[in-house]
């Protein structure tokens, strides 16, 4: 009886941390949290797999599987719960799942990520295939397999996902049209954009950009542009726009206009300091970072550090992760690497060609391996080393204009 009592006391002393979301940010946070033996970590994820989202275009083209068993990526001490979180009850510190089950927490890491935004273009929801999740990618792959080998494909969206998907399919021999809806690669420096356009042209991709190149309607086998042009294609792939799940807002938590959880600069919710956000669904001071793997992993790491600081009774530090650029794969043989300032502004410097392709592949591999490393040796990597020195100036300017929220006392 005494032994059982001792065990119960030990369990009571544990701090329960629940992480919602098993993407880059959530997986990194969950693994890093296992530094402390007195912290119990539970990860809630809709599927038992970890998805390399930055390789979904390869899954579509059949050049990479993009999926791993999540249990292989997580630290042994992380408990995986496969399910969908439907509500956060902040006052009672519980998360309700779609099954009705509730999971209690002492701290919560909100890392729900993002998905494709629901298109408001007529016919897009019915006749275009979104590409934001692994399930989307598998459906696109099935649609391509069902179409004739030489059938034309239309990709809507001139951002990284659209560019990489168009290039991958064109390299595989598909006729591809890329509908940019404006500027091709809007993040890129103009000179890098010219190099990108040249490479896509050599692959045989028809790039439709500039005024009037926005999709106005999608019908079976055709995308009509705003300027009246019709772009034929047996398969239409929709990569334009991303949005975050509505869990925070539906749970009564403060969010920004895009539905991201509003936090202070330590990533704590402005409503409840026991809820810490990371990744695409975090909005520090209402000024979120670019939705990207490059931001998600550092934010996941820093969110874990914020929780551990509170568990230790210390004050979490303000975060300010810095950027280095953007990498694009343009098929398997070439790529483009755009350099950026730490505050995520494209510089004139860029690299294109085979070396850029090797760098992009190296980034993809190291990203996944970094999660594995954190699972084996949590806390080893110091993501605070690369910071954005201009963040505080942006915040000061926003506060002067009354744009940045201040956490209530």
């Amino acid at each position: 009886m005494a032994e059982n009592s001792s065990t119960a006391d030990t369990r009571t002393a544990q701090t329960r941390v629940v992480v919602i979301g098993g993407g880059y940010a959530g997986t990194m946070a969950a693994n890093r949290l296992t530094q402390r033996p007195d912290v119990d970590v539970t990860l809630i994820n809709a599927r038992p797999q970890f998805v390399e989202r930055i390789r979904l275009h390869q899954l579509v083209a059949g050049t990479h599987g993009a999926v791993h068993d999540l249990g292989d990526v997580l630290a042994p001490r992380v408990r995986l719960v496969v399910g969908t979180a439907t509500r956060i009850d902040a006052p009672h510190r519980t998360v309700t799942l779609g099954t009705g089950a509730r999971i209690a927490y002492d701290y919560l890491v909100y890392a729900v990520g993002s998905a494709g935004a629901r298109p408001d273009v007529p016919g897009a929801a019915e006749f275009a295939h979104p590409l934001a999740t692994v399930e989307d990618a598998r459906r696109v792959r099935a649609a391509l397999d069902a179409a004739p080998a030489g059938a034309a494909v239309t990709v809507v969206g001139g951002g990284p996902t659209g560019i990489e998907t168009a290039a991958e399919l064109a390299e595989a021999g598909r006729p591809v049209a890329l509908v940019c809806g404006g500027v091709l690669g809007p993040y890129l420096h103009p000179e890098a954009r010219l190099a990108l356009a040249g490479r896509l042209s050599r692959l045989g991709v028809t790039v439709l950009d500039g005024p009037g190149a926005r999709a106005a309607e999608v019908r079976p086998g055709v995308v009509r542009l705003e300027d009246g042009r019709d772009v034929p294609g047996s398969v239409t792939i929709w990569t334009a726009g991303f949005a975050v799940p509505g869990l925070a807002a539906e749970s009564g938590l403060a969010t920004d206009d895009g539905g991201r959880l509003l936090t202070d600069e330590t990533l704590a919710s402005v409503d409840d300091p026991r809820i810490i956000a990371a990744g695409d669904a975090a909005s520090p001071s209402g000024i979120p970072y670019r939705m990207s793997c490059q931001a998600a992993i550092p934010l996941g790491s820093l969110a874990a550090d914020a929780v551990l600081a509170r568990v230790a009774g210390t004050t979490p530090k303000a975060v300010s992760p810095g950027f280095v650029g953007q990498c694009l794969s343009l098929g398997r043989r070439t790529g483009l690497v755009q350099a950026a300032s730490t505050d995520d502004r494209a510089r004139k410097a860029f690299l294109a060609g085979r070396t850029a392709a090797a760098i992009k592949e190296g980034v993809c591999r190291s990203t996944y391996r970094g999660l594995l490393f954190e699972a084996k040796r949590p806390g080893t990597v110091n993501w605070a080393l690369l910071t954005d020195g201009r963040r505080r100036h942006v915040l000061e300017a926003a506060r002067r204009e009354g744009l940045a929220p201040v956490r209530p006392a």
Side-chain angles (χ1 to χ4, degrees):
M1 184 68 70
E3 182 178 351
N4 290 340
S5 176
S6 174
T7 301
D9 291 342
T10 300
R11 289 176 179 171
T12 301
Q14 295 291 103
T15 299
R16 301 163 300 177
V17 182
V18 171
V19 180
I20 304 178
Y24 292 104
T27 300
M28 170 57 72
N31 285 343
R32 196 171 182 88
L33 284 163
T34 61
Q35 292 175 71
R36 287 185 64 112
D38 59 346
V39 171
D40 282 336
V41 186
T42 298
L43 176 69
I44 301 171
N45 195 52
R47 60 182 72 85
Q49 294 88 27
F50 173 79
V51 179
E52 287 193 78
R53 192 167 174 179
I54 54 178
R55 289 193 187 272
L56 285 183
H57 61 286
Q58 289 186 256
L59 193 158
V60 167
T63 58
H64 197 283
V67 176
H68 307 269
D69 189 322
L70 192 48
D72 294 339
V73 188
L74 293 173
R77 288 187 47 233
V78 177
R79 180 170 72 102
L80 173 62
V81 174
V82 178
T84 302
T86 58
R87 185 168 181 80
I88 299 167
D89 185 341
H92 295 95
R93 297 179 194 163
T94 61
V95 177
T96 302
L97 304 182
T99 60
R102 295 183 180 182
I103 300 177
Y105 66 83
D106 297 304
Y107 291 94
L108 178 71
V109 177
Y110 186 81
V112 298
S114 61
R118 182 175 178 81
D120 58 1
V121 173
E126 295 83 4
F127 305 117
H129 298 275
L131 181 54
T133 68
V134 65
E135 291 81 10
D136 291 341
R138 287 168 176 161
R139 285 189 285 267
V140 173
R141 181 65 190 169
L144 291 170
D145 288 342
V153 177
T154 302
V155 179
V156 180
T161 303
I163 292 167
E164 293 186 320
T165 302
E168 201 83 26
L169 293 176
E171 188 179 70
R174 297 268 185 181
V176 180
L178 178 61
V179 176
C180 297
V183 176
L184 170 68
Y187 178 87
L188 304 175
H189 186 276
E191 292 188 16
R193 194 173 298 128
L194 286 174
L196 170 62
R199 173 57 184 168
L200 291 175
S201 177
R202 289 189 291 275
L203 283 170
V205 176
T206 300
V207 175
L208 301 164
D209 61 352
R214 187 179 300 275
E217 183 183 4
V218 181
R219 301 196 301 267
V222 66
V223 174
R224 171 156 289 184
L225 305 186
E226 286 182 341
D227 61 9
R229 286 177 291 173
D230 284 340
V231 184
S234 294
V235 179
T236 299
I237 304 173
W238 195 274
T239 71
F242 287 88
V244 302
L247 178 61
E250 292 162 6
S251 299
L253 298 169
T255 62
D256 67 7
D257 292 341
R260 302 175 184 87
L261 184 68
L262 271 178
T263 76
D264 63 15
E265 287 296 293
T266 73
L267 302 178
S269 164
V270 296
D271 297 313
D272 187 341
R274 288 180 175 265
I275 300 177
I276 313 297
D280 290 354
S283 184
S285 301
I287 307 173
Y289 295 91
R290 172 165 53 95
M291 288 183 176
S292 63
C293 169
Q294 188 174 168
I297 289 182
L299 287 172
S301 170
L302 295 167
D305 290 347
V307 171
L308 293 174
R310 292 181 183 274
V311 172
T314 60
T315 302
K317 298 178 180 179
V319 306
S320 184
F323 286 75
V324 295
Q326 187 178 86
C327 299
L328 297 172
S329 63
L330 305 175
R332 294 297 87 210
R333 294 187 291 273
T334 190
L336 188 146
V337 177
Q338 170 69 71
S341 57
T342 56
D343 62 341
D344 203 25
R345 292 179 295 171
R347 296 184 182 275
K348 188 175 181 180
F350 71 94
L351 181 66
R354 290 183 178 273
T355 301
I359 292 173
K360 164 70 174 185
E361 178 60 24
V363 167
C364 290
R365 291 182 181 179
S366 63
T367 297
Y368 175 67
R369 289 172 180 170
L371 296 175
L372 298 178
F373 186 79
E374 191 70 20
K376 294 177 181 177
R377 301 180 63 184
T380 302
V381 179
N382 185 0
W383 287 102
L385 292 177
L386 180 61
T387 61
D388 170 18
R390 290 184 52 83
R391 175 87 179 169
R392 62 186 180 88
H393 300 295
V394 173
L395 291 171
E396 289 169 0
R399 290 190 178 110
R400 283 196 299 270
E401 297 175 13
L403 300 178
V406 178
R407 184 165 152 188

Coordinates of all heavy atoms in Angstrom, one line a residue, residues 121-175:
V121 N -13.3 31.3 -55.3 CA -13.5 31.4 -56.7 C -14.5 30.4 -57.2 O -14.5 29.2 -56.8 CB -12.1 31.1 -57.5 CG1 -12.3 31.0 -59.0 CG2 -11.1 32.1 -57.1
P122 N -15.5 30.8 -57.9 CA -16.6 29.8 -58.3 C -16.0 28.6 -59.0 O -15.2 28.7 -59.9 CB -17.4 30.7 -59.3 CG -17.2 32.1 -58.9 CD -15.8 32.1 -58.4
G123 N -16.5 27.4 -58.5 CA -16.1 26.2 -59.1 C -14.8 25.6 -58.6 O -14.5 24.4 -58.8
A124 N -14.0 26.4 -57.8 CA -12.7 25.8 -57.4 C -12.9 24.7 -56.4 O -12.2 23.7 -56.4 CB -11.9 27.0 -56.7
A125 N -13.8 24.8 -55.5 CA -14.0 23.8 -54.5 C -14.5 22.5 -55.1 O -14.2 21.4 -54.7 CB -15.0 24.2 -53.4
E126 N -15.3 22.6 -56.2 CA -15.8 21.4 -56.9 C -14.8 20.8 -57.9 O -14.8 19.5 -58.0 CB -17.1 21.8 -57.6 CG -18.3 22.2 -56.7 CD -18.2 23.7 -56.3 OE1 -17.3 24.4 -56.8 OE2 -19.0 24.1 -55.5
F127 N -14.1 21.6 -58.6 CA -13.3 21.1 -59.8 C -11.8 21.2 -59.7 O -11.1 20.8 -60.6 CB -13.8 21.8 -61.0 CG -15.3 21.7 -61.2 CD1 -16.1 22.8 -61.3 CD2 -15.9 20.4 -61.4 CE1 -17.5 22.7 -61.5 CE2 -17.3 20.3 -61.6 CZ -18.1 21.4 -61.6
A128 N -11.3 21.8 -58.5 CA -9.9 21.9 -58.4 C -9.5 21.0 -57.2 O -10.2 20.9 -56.2 CB -9.5 23.3 -58.2
H129 N -8.3 20.5 -57.2 CA -7.7 19.7 -56.1 C -6.8 20.5 -55.2 O -5.8 21.0 -55.7 CB -7.0 18.5 -56.7 CG -7.8 17.5 -57.5 ND1 -8.5 16.5 -57.0 CD2 -8.0 17.5 -58.8 CE1 -9.1 15.9 -57.9 NE2 -8.8 16.4 -59.1
P130 N -7.2 20.7 -54.0 CA -6.3 21.4 -53.1 C -5.0 20.6 -52.8 O -5.0 19.4 -52.9 CB -7.1 21.6 -51.8 CG -8.0 20.4 -51.8 CD -8.4 20.2 -53.2
L131 N -3.9 21.3 -52.4 CA -2.7 20.6 -52.1 C -2.1 21.3 -50.8 O -1.2 22.2 -50.9 CB -1.7 20.7 -53.2 CG -0.3 20.0 -53.1 CD1 -0.5 18.6 -52.6 CD2 0.5 20.1 -54.3
A132 N -2.5 20.9 -49.7 CA -2.0 21.4 -48.4 C -1.8 20.3 -47.4 O -1.0 20.6 -46.4 CB -3.0 22.5 -47.8
T133 N -2.4 19.2 -47.5 CA -2.2 18.1 -46.6 C -1.8 16.8 -47.3 O -1.8 16.8 -48.6 CB -3.5 17.8 -45.8 OG1 -4.5 17.3 -46.8 CG2 -4.1 19.0 -45.2
V134 N -1.4 15.8 -46.6 CA -1.0 14.6 -47.2 C -2.1 13.9 -47.9 O -2.0 13.3 -48.9 CB -0.3 13.6 -46.2 CG1 -1.3 13.2 -45.1 CG2 0.3 12.4 -46.9
E135 N -3.3 14.0 -47.3 CA -4.5 13.5 -47.9 C -4.8 14.2 -49.3 O -5.2 13.5 -50.2 CB -5.7 13.6 -47.0 CG -5.7 12.7 -45.7 CD -4.8 13.3 -44.6 OE1 -4.4 14.5 -44.7 OE2 -4.5 12.6 -43.6
D136 N -4.6 15.5 -49.3 CA -4.8 16.2 -50.5 C -3.8 15.7 -51.6 O -4.2 15.5 -52.7 CB -4.5 17.7 -50.3 CG -5.5 18.4 -49.5 OD1 -6.6 17.9 -49.4 OD2 -5.2 19.5 -48.9
A137 N -2.5 15.5 -51.2 CA -1.5 15.1 -52.1 C -1.8 13.8 -52.7 O -1.6 13.5 -53.9 CB -0.1 15.1 -51.4
R138 N -2.3 12.9 -51.9 CA -2.7 11.5 -52.4 C -3.8 11.6 -53.4 O -3.8 10.8 -54.4 CB -3.0 10.6 -51.2 CG -1.8 10.2 -50.4 CD -2.1 9.6 -49.1 NE -0.9 9.1 -48.4 CZ -0.9 8.8 -47.1 NH1 -2.0 9.0 -46.3 NH2 0.3 8.4 -46.5
R139 N -4.8 12.5 -53.1 CA -5.9 12.6 -54.0 C -5.4 13.2 -55.4 O -5.9 12.8 -56.4 CB -7.0 13.5 -53.4 CG -7.8 12.7 -52.4 CD -9.0 13.5 -51.9 NE -8.7 14.6 -51.1 CZ -8.7 14.5 -49.7 NH1 -9.0 13.4 -49.1 NH2 -8.3 15.6 -49.0
V140 N -4.5 14.2 -55.3 CA -4.0 14.7 -56.5 C -3.2 13.7 -57.3 O -3.3 13.6 -58.5 CB -3.0 15.9 -56.2 CG1 -2.3 16.4 -57.5 CG2 -3.8 17.1 -55.6
R141 N -2.4 12.9 -56.6 CA -1.7 11.8 -57.2 C -2.6 10.8 -57.9 O -2.4 10.4 -59.1 CB -0.8 11.1 -56.2 CG 0.0 9.9 -56.8 CD 1.1 10.5 -57.7 NE 1.8 9.4 -58.4 CZ 2.6 9.6 -59.4 NH1 2.8 10.8 -59.9 NH2 3.1 8.5 -60.1
A142 N -3.7 10.5 -57.3 CA -4.7 9.6 -57.9 C -5.3 10.2 -59.1 O -5.5 9.5 -60.1 CB -5.7 9.2 -56.8
A143 N -5.6 11.5 -59.1 CA -6.2 12.1 -60.2 C -5.2 12.2 -61.4 O -5.6 12.0 -62.5 CB -6.6 13.6 -59.8
L144 N -4.0 12.4 -61.1 CA -3.0 12.4 -62.2 C -2.8 11.0 -62.8 O -2.7 10.8 -64.0 CB -1.6 12.9 -61.6 CG -1.5 14.4 -61.3 CD1 -0.2 14.7 -60.5 CD2 -1.6 15.2 -62.5
D145 N -2.8 10.0 -61.9 CA -2.7 8.6 -62.4 C -3.9 8.2 -63.3 O -3.7 7.4 -64.2 CB -2.6 7.6 -61.2 CG -1.2 7.7 -60.5 OD1 -0.3 8.3 -61.1 OD2 -1.1 7.3 -59.3
A146 N -5.0 8.8 -63.0 CA -6.2 8.5 -63.7 C -6.3 9.2 -65.1 O -7.0 8.8 -66.0 CB -7.5 8.8 -62.9
A147 N -5.6 10.3 -65.2 CA -5.5 11.1 -66.4 C -4.6 10.5 -67.4 O -3.6 9.8 -67.0 CB -5.2 12.5 -66.1
P148 N -4.7 10.7 -68.7 CA -3.8 10.3 -69.7 C -2.4 10.8 -69.4 O -2.3 11.9 -68.9 CB -4.3 10.8 -71.0 CG -5.8 11.0 -70.8 CD -5.9 11.4 -69.3
A149 N -1.4 10.1 -69.8 CA 0.0 10.5 -69.5 C 0.4 11.9 -70.0 O 1.1 12.6 -69.4 CB 1.0 9.4 -70.0
G150 N -0.1 12.2 -71.2 CA 0.2 13.5 -71.8 C -0.8 14.6 -71.5 O -0.8 15.7 -72.1
A151 N -1.8 14.3 -70.6 CA -2.8 15.3 -70.3 C -2.2 16.6 -69.6 O -1.4 16.5 -68.8 CB -3.9 14.7 -69.4
A152 N -2.8 17.7 -70.0 CA -2.3 19.0 -69.4 C -2.8 19.1 -68.0 O -3.8 18.7 -67.6 CB -2.8 20.1 -70.3
V153 N -1.9 19.8 -67.2 CA -2.2 20.1 -65.8 C -2.1 21.6 -65.6 O -1.2 22.2 -66.0 CB -1.2 19.3 -64.9 CG1 -1.4 19.7 -63.4 CG2 -1.2 17.8 -65.1
T154 N -3.1 22.1 -64.8 CA -3.1 23.5 -64.4 C -2.8 23.6 -62.9 O -3.5 23.0 -62.1 CB -4.4 24.2 -64.8 OG1 -4.6 24.1 -66.2 CG2 -4.3 25.7 -64.4
V155 N -1.8 24.4 -62.6 CA -1.5 24.6 -61.2 C -1.8 26.1 -60.9 O -1.3 27.0 -61.5 CB 0.0 24.3 -60.8 CG1 0.3 24.6 -59.4 CG2 0.4 22.9 -61.2
V156 N -2.7 26.3 -59.9 CA -3.1 27.7 -59.5 C -2.3 28.0 -58.2 O -2.5 27.4 -57.2 CB -4.6 27.7 -59.3 CG1 -5.0 29.2 -58.9 CG2 -5.4 27.3 -60.5
G157 N -1.6 29.1 -58.3 CA -0.8 29.6 -57.2 C 0.6 29.8 -57.5 O 1.3 28.8 -57.8
G158 N 1.1 31.0 -57.4 CA 2.5 31.3 -57.8 C 3.5 31.4 -56.6 O 4.6 31.9 -56.7
G159 N 3.1 30.8 -55.4 CA 4.0 30.7 -54.3 C 4.8 29.4 -54.4 O 4.8 28.7 -55.4
P160 N 5.6 29.1 -53.3 CA 6.5 28.0 -53.3 C 5.8 26.7 -53.7 O 6.3 25.9 -54.5 CB 7.0 27.9 -51.9 CG 6.9 29.4 -51.4 CD 5.7 29.9 -52.1
T161 N 4.6 26.4 -53.1 CA 4.0 25.1 -53.4 C 3.6 25.0 -54.8 O 3.8 23.9 -55.5 CB 2.7 24.9 -52.5 OG1 3.1 25.0 -51.1 CG2 2.1 23.5 -52.7
G162 N 3.0 26.0 -55.4 CA 2.7 26.0 -56.8 C 3.9 25.9 -57.7 O 3.9 25.1 -58.7
I163 N 4.9 26.6 -57.4 CA 6.1 26.6 -58.2 C 6.7 25.2 -58.2 O 7.1 24.7 -59.3 CB 7.1 27.7 -57.7 CG1 6.6 29.1 -58.0 CG2 8.5 27.5 -58.4 CD1 7.3 30.2 -57.3
E164 N 6.9 24.7 -57.0 CA 7.6 23.4 -56.9 C 6.8 22.3 -57.5 O 7.3 21.3 -58.2 CB 7.9 23.1 -55.5 CG 9.0 24.0 -54.9 CD 9.4 23.7 -53.5 OE1 8.5 23.3 -52.7 OE2 10.6 23.8 -53.2
T165 N 5.5 22.3 -57.4 CA 4.6 21.3 -58.0 C 4.6 21.4 -59.5 O 4.8 20.4 -60.2 CB 3.2 21.5 -57.5 OG1 3.1 21.4 -56.0 CG2 2.2 20.4 -58.1
A166 N 4.5 22.6 -60.0 CA 4.6 22.8 -61.5 C 5.9 22.2 -62.1 O 5.9 21.5 -63.1 CB 4.4 24.2 -61.8
A167 N 7.0 22.6 -61.4 CA 8.3 22.2 -61.9 C 8.5 20.7 -61.8 O 9.0 20.0 -62.8 CB 9.4 22.9 -61.1
E168 N 8.0 20.1 -60.7 CA 8.2 18.6 -60.5 C 7.4 17.9 -61.6 O 7.9 16.9 -62.2 CB 7.7 18.2 -59.1 CG 8.2 16.9 -58.6 CD 9.6 17.1 -58.0 OE1 9.9 18.1 -57.5 OE2 10.3 16.0 -58.0
L169 N 6.2 18.3 -61.9 CA 5.4 17.6 -62.9 C 5.9 17.8 -64.3 O 5.8 16.9 -65.1 CB 3.9 18.1 -62.7 CG 3.2 17.7 -61.5 CD1 1.8 18.3 -61.4 CD2 3.1 16.2 -61.3
A170 N 6.3 19.0 -64.6 CA 6.9 19.3 -65.9 C 8.1 18.5 -66.2 O 8.3 18.0 -67.3 CB 7.2 20.8 -66.0
E171 N 9.0 18.4 -65.1 CA 10.2 17.5 -65.3 C 9.8 16.1 -65.6 O 10.6 15.4 -66.3 CB 11.1 17.6 -64.1 CG 12.4 17.0 -64.2 CD 13.3 17.1 -63.0 OE1 12.9 16.4 -62.0 OE2 14.3 17.8 -63.0
A172 N 8.7 15.7 -65.1 CA 8.2 14.3 -65.3 C 7.6 14.1 -66.7 O 7.1 13.0 -67.0 CB 7.3 13.9 -64.2
G173 N 7.5 15.2 -67.4 CA 6.9 15.1 -68.8 C 5.5 15.6 -68.9 O 4.9 15.5 -70.0
R174 N 4.9 16.2 -67.9 CA 3.6 16.7 -68.0 C 3.5 18.1 -68.6 O 4.4 18.9 -68.2 CB 2.9 16.7 -66.6 CG 2.8 15.4 -65.9 CD 1.4 14.8 -66.2 NE 1.2 13.6 -65.5 CZ 0.1 12.8 -65.6 NH1 -0.8 13.2 -66.4 NH2 0.0 11.7 -64.9
P175 N 2.6 18.4 -69.5 CA 2.4 19.8 -69.9 C 1.7 20.5 -68.8 O 0.7 20.1 -68.3 CB 1.4 19.7 -71.1 CG 1.4 18.2 -71.5 CD 1.7 17.4 -70.2

